[in-house]
């Protein structure tokens, strides 16, 4: 993916998405900075953005309980915990 990232139109693909979309990122992710995630999310109407505090590129490994709580809340339509969530929209 890293080698071929310039050959795939991620923005175009994401902008055509009609399903609910959750962008979940860590505030210390150096591979996918928050600014890039927010820019990508702006291409999708109604996209949810959750930025986890004190978290890098692998939130599912670094903060598994919080990651799962946020994902479960998104999937079942309930609220997710506010703990360590820096930003949502």
């Amino acid at each position: 993916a890293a080698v071929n990232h310039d050959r795939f139109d991620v923005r175009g693909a994401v902008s055509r998405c009609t399903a609910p979309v959750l962008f979940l990122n860590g505030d210390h992710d150096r591979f996918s900075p928050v600014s890039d995630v927010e820019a990508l999310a702006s291409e999708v109407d109604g996209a949810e953005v959750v930025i986890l505090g004190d978290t890098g590129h692998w939130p599912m490994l670094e903060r598994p309980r919080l990651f799962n709580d946020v994902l479960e809340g998104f999937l079942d339509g309930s609220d997710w915990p506010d703990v360590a969530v820096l930003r949502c929209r």
Side-chain angles (χ1 to χ4, degrees):
V3 172
N4 292 311
H5 76 281
D6 60 339
R7 296 182 187 167
F8 181 71
D9 179 17
V10 174
R11 276 198 157 82
V14 167
S15 68
R16 292 188 301 274
C17 188
T18 58
V21 176
L22 170 67
F23 290 90
L24 197 155
N25 206 61
D27 65 336
H28 296 300
D29 189 334
R30 289 184 272 167
F31 185 74
S32 302
V34 171
S35 59
D36 289 356
V37 171
E38 290 177 333
L40 191 58
S42 72
E43 301 288 331
V44 181
D45 289 335
E48 299 281 352
V49 178
V50 175
I51 306 299
L52 300 182
D54 197 29
T55 306
H57 187 66
W58 302 103
M60 69 292 289
L61 301 177
E62 297 171 45
R63 311 287 300 276
R65 180 169 289 147
L66 182 57
F67 176 88
N68 287 335
D69 288 347
V70 170
L71 183 58
E72 183 178 326
F74 175 74
L75 293 173
D76 70 14
S78 64
D79 292 329
W80 46 68
D82 289 332
V83 177
V85 174
L86 291 182
R87 192 170 17 219
C88 299
R89 79 166 177 101

